[in-house]
Amino acid sequence: MSKLGNLGARLYRGEVGYDFIGKRMIWYGVSILITITAIVGLAVRGMNMGIEFSGGAVFTTPKTSVSTTEAQHTAESAAPGHQAMVQQLGGGALRIQISGLDTKQSLPVQEKIATELKVPVKDVNTQLVGPSWGEQIANKAWLGLGIFMVLVVLYLAVAFEWRMAVAALVALIHDLTITVGVYALVGFEVTPGTVIGLLTILGYSLYDTVVVFDSLKEASKDITKQTRFTYSEVANRSINGTLVRSINTTVVALLPVAGLLFVGGGVLGAGMLNDISLALFVGLAAGAYSSIFIATPLVADLKNSEPQMKALAKRVAAKRASADAKEAAREEQGDADELVAEGDEGAAVVGPRSQSATRNRGRGRASGRRR
């Protein structure tokens, strides 16, 4: 068995473990700090919305030797007052996106781009996206996200309990906020691919959370009928029991996504892959973090507020205090018995020697009288 597999088996059996629940305030603080940073980045820089949401025109050029920076300057000079974004495609082609253009404005911009890039006008492909269509896409995205959240809460409330549903919802919002904040800080364009990526990571985050919750549900069954562990301790054992599985699943999922993001988007220049790969990469990492450090500790906090769990914690503490007192008494009794044994051993050594000396002296006197 590998070292990681051996560690996983020991974690599952409870032979070793890390106190995730006991140090939950640290994880809450880290998450709050990251969330505040994401919100500040979103408020300061805002989201770089693609033309699918804001409307505009997309010009795709054939192979050209012009750099993306030069092409951006050319596009912005051809359409004053409009923001342009240029991406290099495979084979040296360029994708020039200019937001806010309508049909009348697109034709002269197309001609100027073709002239500056020294390519035929007919070879520059133009695609127009109206703002109303982008608004419809945005509304459908919000509607899909809302339906997903409602279904998640209902499923967890029925399959587990409402406390786990609340904790999972908080974890999902946590993952969404971090991912959107990273998008704002990095400046990547938000496209329908981004929305697909967000919905994908929500499903993954939910899966990872449900794995831990299922282990916790099984371990906490009839928990009030015993006095060995509190609910927090059972929750901590559940996290440790599924820790290696969560790590393996996350690493395996992140490897192909990292290939899309860093190799496909960075090295090969396939900019369209960045839209979905960044959301997947950040979301997968945030989802694994939230299921361990946020969702389960939050469930433990909610459960520990129940009267029966408070009573269980008192019974466990009382039993442990009684066991400690008995152990201390046994140790004291053992020390006393050891002292008595040492005293008895000394008496056993001195006694026979004294009796032998007395008998020898008595025999000496009798012999003298006979003489």
Side-chain angles (χ1 to χ4, degrees):
M1 183 181 292
S2 64
K3 292 183 178 180
L4 187 60
N6 185 38
L7 176 61
R10 296 178 65 193
L11 286 169
Y12 182 80
R13 292 192 298 265
E15 297 175 2
V16 295
Y18 183 80
D19 191 8
F20 292 98
I21 305 298
K23 298 181 179 180
R24 61 190 181 281
M25 292 303 173
I26 298 177
W27 319 130
Y28 290 165
V30 171
S31 294
I32 291 173
L33 180 62
I34 296 175
T35 303
I36 291 175
T37 303
I39 293 175
V40 170
L42 182 61
V44 173
R45 300 196 55 166
M47 298 296 292
N48 182 18
M49 305 301 294
I51 62 170
E52 292 85 356
F53 298 102
S54 61
V58 179
F59 303 95
T60 305
T61 71
K63 181 180 179 180
T64 177
S65 60
V66 178
S67 66
T68 56
T69 303
E70 294 174 346
Q72 183 175 359
H73 291 321
T74 299
E76 291 179 348
S77 62
H82 298 274
Q83 184 179 3
M85 178 177 294
V86 181
Q87 294 176 338
Q88 188 172 13
L89 306 178
L94 296 177
R95 181 177 184 268
I96 304 173
Q97 175 181 305
I98 304 177
S99 59
L101 287 182
D102 55 23
T103 305
K104 294 181 179 180
Q105 295 172 321
S106 63
L107 183 57
V109 172
Q110 178 187 11
E111 294 175 350
K112 188 169 184 179
I113 289 176
T115 302
E116 294 292 334
L117 300 184
K118 298 178 181 180
V119 295
V121 177
K122 62 182 181 60
D123 292 339
V124 179
N125 183 31
T126 304
Q127 180 182 2
L128 295 175
V129 179
S132 60
W133 186 84
E135 185 179 356
Q136 292 177 2
I137 292 294
N139 292 334
K140 290 180 180 179
W142 283 112
L143 179 61
L145 182 60
I147 293 175
F148 177 84
M149 291 292 190
V150 172
L151 292 177
V152 165
V153 173
L154 292 177
Y155 168 75
L156 291 179
V158 173
F160 299 97
E161 58 174 305
W162 69 267
R163 296 168 187 82
M164 291 184 177
V166 170
L169 182 61
V170 171
L172 290 177
I173 295 175
H174 167 271
D175 300 340
L176 272 177
T177 304
I178 292 177
T179 306
V180 172
V182 170
Y183 252 88
L185 292 172
V186 175
F188 276 21
E189 183 183 14
V190 178
T191 65
T194 305
V195 178
I196 296 172
L198 290 175
L199 293 176
T200 303
I201 64 167
L202 290 180
Y204 175 85
S205 176
L206 179 62
Y207 162 78
D208 213 21
T209 302
V210 167
V211 169
V212 182
F213 282 179
D214 185 66
S215 175
L216 177 57
K217 178 184 177 182
E218 185 66 24
S220 62
K221 186 178 181 180
D222 297 330
I223 188 175
T224 56
K225 297 180 180 180
Q226 54 84 43
T227 55
R228 293 183 58 194
F229 305 107
T230 64
Y231 190 89
S232 294
E233 292 169 343
V234 171
N236 197 68
R237 289 169 63 92
S238 298
I239 295 177
N240 282 279
T242 58
L243 180 61
V244 173
R245 177 180 178 179
S246 298
I247 293 175
N248 288 335
T249 305
T250 303
V251 171
V252 170
L254 283 177
L255 287 177
V257 175
L260 285 174
L261 179 60
F262 299 108
V263 179
V267 178
L268 301 180
M272 291 180 291
L273 295 176
N274 291 334
D275 304 338
I276 188 171
S277 59
L278 180 64
L280 289 175
F281 189 84
V282 176
L284 289 176
Y289 171 85
S290 64
S291 64
I292 296 173
F293 297 97
I294 302 298
T296 309
L298 186 57
V299 170
D301 283 337
L302 294 174
K303 290 290 291 186
N304 287 331
S305 62
E306 296 180 353
Q308 56 268 35
M309 295 304 166
K310 292 180 180 179
L312 173 63
K314 291 180 180 180
R315 293 198 305 270
V316 172
K319 182 178 179 180
R320 291 176 181 176
S322 176
D324 292 340
K326 291 180 180 179
E327 181 65 23
R330 282 196 298 267
E331 291 179 357
E332 292 178 359
Q333 183 64 34
D335 293 339
D337 293 342
E338 185 177 352
L339 292 174
V340 171
E342 291 178 356
D344 292 343
E345 182 180 358
V349 172
V350 173
R353 290 180 180 175
S354 301
Q355 293 174 2
S356 177
T358 303
R359 286 195 297 270
N360 290 336
R361 284 196 297 270
R363 291 172 183 171
R365 294 193 191 98
S367 177
R369 285 196 297 270
R370 285 196 296 269
R371 291 193 186 102

